[in-house]
Amino acid sequence: MAFWLARERRAQESTFIQRFDPRFWTVNFPRPAMASVVTTGPDSLRVDLELHHAGELVGLIWESADTLDHPLLAYQTDRDYARTTLRFRWQSDGVIALDQPNGPTLTIEGRDAAGLPRTWYIRLWNYAQGTPTDARISLPFSALESGYGLPGEPIHPSDIDRMFISLVAPGFVWGSTAPLPARFDGSVTMSEIAADGARAMLELGDVLVPPHGERMATAYDDAYNQTPARLLRTVTGLGYRGDIVHYVGMSHFMRLARQSDGGLLVSAPGELCEPAVVWHRNLFALAQAGGFEVIASLSYELFDAYCPESWKQRTASGAPALTGWMPPSTLLSPANPQAMGWLGDVARIFVALLQDAELPVRFQIGEPWWWVTPARQICLYDDAAKAAFGGNPPVIGNIAAPLDAAATSLLDAAGALLAQSTAALTAVVRAAAQGPSEVLLLAFTPTILDPATPELYRANLPTGWAAPAFDRLQLEDYDWLTAGADAARRAAYALVDTRLGYPLTDQDYLAGFVLDPADADVMWARIDSGLGEAAARGITRRYVWALPQVNRDGYTRLAPPPEQAMDPFDNVLYPFALGRSASVAPEFSTSIAITASGHERRNSLWSDARLHFDVGPGIRSEEELSELIAFFRARRGPARGFRIMDPFDNSSNGMTGVPTMLDQLLGIADGVRADFQLVKSYGGAEPQVRPITRPRAETLVVSVGGAASTAWTLGEKGTLRFLTAPPAGAEVRAGFRFDVPVRFAEDRLDVAAVNFAAGEAPSVPLIEIRESA
């Protein structure tokens, strides 16, 4: 499928918005504070916040440069606010009021008239009319003055990077980590938002990519700072339809409770913080109005600092399971009833939120597994797990090492326990739905089926997950996909199909993601190819993971044309042998420029020659002539391609020699790559390399590192696919005979019986078809 990495908008559709459109405000805050922003109308927004410490501050932010949206949908960058006025109604509940010290302050970050970085602080109460909790505020940027009182220092309005309004709880103390007397809950509504003046409008990308059949996946941890309206606008504009996989995350949705030691941990029973409730209620309602369904995804992963110690999976030495994120998250133990009960409580809340929005209950259990540390220690040894495994289970010091029967039995028991926990969570969802529901399981094959840990599947791909344990099975393999480890991917599909038994109609595929933008060009090409491959395998629901990377890199999936472009080809051989009188002409395309001094500048435009044949001299009888006419008509003249054997060049060994397994170097293995294109090289130091797309399969012989290999299959267009990636550094070579894909060169075949009878051969020109390998 075609795709595009759009770096900027160039003449694509655009519209205009008022500067300060509610959809494009964001929030930011330090942990463990929680906050969210949602739109409540075309000119209004709401911020909700939960605070725990005296020094916590939430900022409601407007950025002059749109760094969050897809380049085709972003608003224009405009740092000049001169002669612009922002007006809105301010209503607050709980936060420090407008007239109080540390009350809502507009912080402007930019540069002064001399171009030096500056920050100005504008007290909103100085520009308000009304009460301290319900006022109309007018901010004329060309007349704003910084300071607690007026008059103050005029700001420079023509070079502003961003501005934010600070929201704090009563008792706020700058920089303080002291706990508040109790959890603080507050909210602010900005309504009747309007911009006036010379620069009140901004151009906004307004593309609407035609639907292309793919779906979107995203996460609250990635998008908690944005409005749901902004996210859904992007999903729709980029052509994604159907449903959205929405991972509720591991760090921002939960309510925190103060512990006896003064610390903060997730509350038990499980609850959502109010900002997350408001945000998800808004997301689900807007999704329903926009024709989307939402699959709420909950994993066994939790931000480590918020997780009770007894809930964490642990190694045999007692170290907690910690992921590689910074700061780290941890994995909940499937054996711990309090941890699993907390997950169930959260699941019930999301079921209720889906139902409140009149959405079907669709729920994903995301990547449940027993964690393995970078040192290959599996985390089966928290107290609850050890008790479940008999109190003193055998120690698996290295899951990658050979394991004895006791160790593999422990892994089987761990898998059974994991399956029991997911079954219990599934039952919670179905009971909460009190009606139709769909429960999906997401598995990440590069971890649970890593060839370096060949027995790990026992614990992390248990047979208790076999169909029909879940309504749908979802697989993601982006580590392998983006690394080009296609053999590992294909082997995993086969193992999962055999072990769990979900038909392709009940499987989904998640493709992505690109962690480092420097890898965008290579990795998005592989992700896009993976989506196409999944479609070819019969996977009808395919998701791109995830929206932040799509926006950052400008990934744009393009819809197929109404009728797919086709290169009709009949995989049949030209029915007559080419005699020695047939002609073959290799052709290159070279531009030659002659300078004023008479020297030449030559530029080769083609990397490979294109062959021309005239096969008429091979026709020897009127019977063959009749058969040629029938063959020509069956191909509709030049409309359909076919195969022909070049009598002068049809072998990997020289031109016509008997093929051997060492003839042609296909590549040097890297230990990951499993697909190699058949090629034939001509010349020495800088050979001309010719892709071979129509080999004769029965003649193909292959070697790896000089030894014969049969662990491969021949794919389309001459692709050699190994069942296991050849070892790094090994030469992959092959020998074969091959045909040339050709077509008739003309729409008309001129044959005169009298000329043929007189011994004059007809002219039957053919031309090679350049196929994409």
Side-chain angles (χ1 to χ4, degrees):
M1 185 76 74
F3 75 97
W4 176 34
L5 295 185
R7 306 301 186 189
E8 60 183 348
R9 190 169 66 253
R10 297 179 180 176
Q12 286 83 22
E13 287 294 324
S14 64
T15 186
F16 288 89
I17 58 168
Q18 277 199 340
R19 196 197 291 253
F20 312 116
D21 185 301
R23 293 171 293 178
F24 301 102
W25 290 76
T26 62
V27 291
N28 202 359
F29 47 89
R31 290 189 175 94
M34 303 284 187
S36 68
V37 56
V38 302
T39 55
T40 55
D43 63 352
S44 59
L45 60 82
R46 173 187 172 98
V47 180
D48 286 88
L49 54 157
E50 285 192 5
L51 306 179
H52 300 276
H53 297 96
E56 290 172 357
L57 178 150
V58 172
L60 174 62
I61 304 167
W62 179 268
E63 299 272 3
S64 296
D66 185 349
T67 61
L68 295 174
D69 283 306
H70 190 282
L72 299 182
L73 292 163
Y75 57 79
Q76 75 177 93
T77 297
D78 187 352
R79 293 183 170 86
D80 188 354
Y81 292 61
R83 299 178 301 282
T84 302
T85 299
L86 168 62
R87 295 185 175 87
F88 55 88
R89 181 181 181 184
W90 175 272
Q91 295 170 290
S92 63
D93 181 11
V95 301
I96 290 184
L98 289 166
D99 65 337
Q100 298 298 306
N102 296 317
T105 300
L106 177 67
T107 299
I108 295 179
E109 298 173 344
R111 280 155 295 279
D112 62 18
L116 299 176
R118 280 295 309 272
T119 301
W120 296 275
Y121 304 96
I122 293 91
R123 189 183 184 212
L124 292 185
W125 182 243
N126 292 338
Y127 297 90
Q129 297 290 328
T131 72
T133 58
D134 188 350
R136 297 182 184 277
I137 296 174
S138 179
L139 301 172
F141 284 89
S142 290
L144 285 183
E145 297 179 7
S146 175
Y148 190 80
L150 296 178
E153 178 191 4
I155 74 162
H156 181 63
S158 298
D159 198 359
I160 294 174
D161 290 326
R162 75 167 185 164
M163 62 184 213
F164 66 89
I165 300 172
S166 58
L167 308 174
V168 298
F172 174 78
V173 178
W174 282 101
S176 174
T177 59
L180 293 169
R183 184 191 74 238
F184 171 78
D185 301 293
S187 66
V188 167
T189 298
M190 285 175 56
S191 59
E192 302 172 35
I193 299 171
D196 299 320
R199 310 186 71 88
M201 304 298 287
L202 295 176
E203 186 178 3
L204 176 73
D206 196 31
V207 302
L208 189 62
V209 176
H212 41 59
E214 312 307 325
R215 301 163 191 238
M216 179 51 65
T218 190
Y220 186 52
D221 286 348
D222 294 332
Y224 65 88
N225 62 326
Q226 302 173 58
T227 66
R230 186 178 195 168
L231 303 179
L232 289 172
R233 173 181 177 268
T234 299
V235 172
T236 302
L238 295 179
Y240 298 92
R241 296 292 187 273
D243 54 45
I244 300 168
V245 168
H246 174 70
Y247 176 39
V248 304
M250 54 87 180
S251 62
H252 283 85
F253 70 85
M254 65 285 296
R255 170 154 285 166
L256 302 178
R258 185 71 62 182
Q259 306 300 301
S260 59
D261 63 359
L264 289 168
L265 297 175
V266 295
S267 63
E271 297 179 273
L272 272 61
C273 64
E274 187 63 18
V277 171
V278 173
W279 192 95
H280 283 92
R281 186 176 290 127
N282 187 251
L283 172 71
F284 294 167
L286 292 176
Q288 197 276 343
F292 287 99
E293 295 181 4
V294 180
I295 301 171
S297 170
L298 182 64
S299 76
Y300 284 33
E301 187 176 0
L302 187 60
F303 189 65
D304 181 66
Y306 301 158
C307 184
E309 290 296 318
S310 63
W311 292 12
K312 300 177 183 180
Q313 296 180 25
R314 294 185 180 272
T315 66
S317 65
L322 297 178
T323 66
W325 303 111
M326 291 303 294
S329 54
T330 190
L331 275 295
L332 300 179
S333 171
N336 188 289
Q338 290 78 29
M340 295 299 101
W342 181 84
L343 283 179
D345 294 337
V346 172
R348 291 186 189 93
I349 294 171
F350 277 101
V351 168
L353 288 171
L354 288 168
Q355 291 178 321
D356 288 347
E358 299 182 351
L359 287 172
V361 175
R362 302 181 66 190
F363 188 88
Q364 180 203 81
I365 303 175
E367 297 180 353
W369 54 26
W370 296 99
W371 188 250
V372 175
T373 71
R376 303 296 192 189
Q377 294 177 302
I378 190 168
C379 297
L380 300 175
Y381 301 97
D382 60 276
D383 289 343
K386 288 194 292 186
F389 299 142
N392 189 28
V395 173
I396 301 176
N398 184 351
I399 190 67
L403 303 180
D404 59 20
T408 56
S409 294
L410 174 60
L411 293 177
D412 289 335
L417 182 57
L418 181 62
Q420 290 172 12
S421 74
T422 55
L425 187 54
T426 298
V428 166
V429 171
R430 297 202 191 283
Q434 296 183 340
S437 62
E438 181 182 75
V439 180
L440 309 90
L441 178 87
L442 175 65
F444 186 64
T445 54
T447 294
I448 63 178
L449 297 177
D450 185 350
T453 55
E455 300 295 339
L456 183 60
Y457 76 95
R458 296 174 180 272
N460 283 341
L461 193 71
T463 55
W465 286 352
F470 306 98
D471 296 298
R472 300 190 68 80
L473 175 67
Q474 297 187 307
L475 298 178
E476 56 183 340
D477 58 8
Y478 51 79
D479 278 9
W480 284 339
L481 175 67
T482 54
D486 293 326
R489 296 173 58 235
R490 291 191 290 265
Y493 299 152
L495 191 153
V496 170
D497 289 348
T498 299
R499 188 166 175 84
L500 301 186
Y502 288 85
L504 291 178
T505 53
D506 291 340
Q507 291 188 36
D508 302 339
Y509 179 69
L510 274 70
F513 60 87
V514 183
L515 192 60
D516 186 345
D519 299 326
D521 289 333
V522 172
M523 289 191 174
W524 281 114
R526 292 173 177 171
I527 290 168
D528 196 82
S529 177
L531 292 167
E533 180 195 80
R537 288 195 296 119
I539 305 298
T540 58
R541 299 183 184 179
R542 302 171 301 276
Y543 300 82
V544 180
W545 172 253
L547 185 58
Q549 289 81 27
V550 168
N551 285 351
R552 180 198 66 200
D553 298 333
Y555 173 72
T556 310
R557 178 84 166 178
L558 303 179
E563 294 184 6
Q564 287 279 8
M566 297 179 63
D567 295 316
F569 191 90
D570 295 331
N571 197 31
V572 297
L573 189 64
Y574 180 69
F576 311 111
L578 274 62
R580 289 290 176 178
S581 55
S583 64
V584 181
E587 173 195 18
F588 281 97
S589 178
T590 307
S591 66
I592 302 174
I594 301 176
T595 67
S597 63
H599 291 85
E600 291 184 349
R601 296 290 184 266
R602 296 178 297 278
N603 182 31
S604 181
L605 303 179
W606 294 353
S607 62
D608 189 16
R610 193 179 195 190
L611 295 177
H612 294 258
F613 297 85
D614 191 339
V615 297
I619 305 300
R620 296 176 178 84
S621 68
E622 290 188 3
E623 182 180 353
E624 289 185 353
L625 185 62
S626 298
E627 189 175 349
L628 170 64
I629 293 172
F631 187 82
F632 178 82
R633 292 176 69 92
R635 308 285 83 73
R636 277 74 168 173
R640 306 188 68 85
F642 55 95
R643 303 166 71 125
I644 194 169
M645 189 180 80
D646 182 348
F648 307 110
D649 183 7
N650 57 58
S651 174
S652 59
N653 184 5
M655 303 302 277
T656 59
V658 177
T660 75
M661 66 181 185
L662 301 176
D663 289 346
Q664 298 292 326
L665 177 63
L666 307 185
I668 305 298
D670 59 8
V672 175
R673 177 185 171 196
D675 291 1
F676 292 80
Q677 176 65 40
L678 295 181
V679 296
K680 183 175 181 180
S681 298
Y682 299 81
E686 296 184 11
Q688 189 259 309
V689 179
R690 175 186 186 182
I692 302 300
T693 60
R694 298 290 168 176
R696 295 200 173 188
E698 69 278 6
T699 69
L700 182 57
V701 287
V702 177
S703 66
V704 175
S709 172
T710 58
W712 48 267
T713 59
L714 181 61
E716 294 184 355
K717 306 286 185 66
T719 301
L720 188 65
R721 290 187 163 179
F722 286 91
L723 304 183
T724 302
E731 287 190 348
V732 179
R733 291 181 172 270
F736 45 83
R737 290 195 184 276
F738 60 92
D739 297 324
V740 182
V742 297
R743 62 171 173 81
F744 288 102
E746 299 174 356
D747 281 306
R748 189 172 68 181
L749 184 62
D750 292 318
V751 176
V754 62
N755 293 342
F756 185 77
E760 181 180 334
S763 176
V764 184
L766 308 178
I767 189 167
E768 182 180 6
I769 297 170
R770 185 66 57 80
E771 293 187 301
S772 298

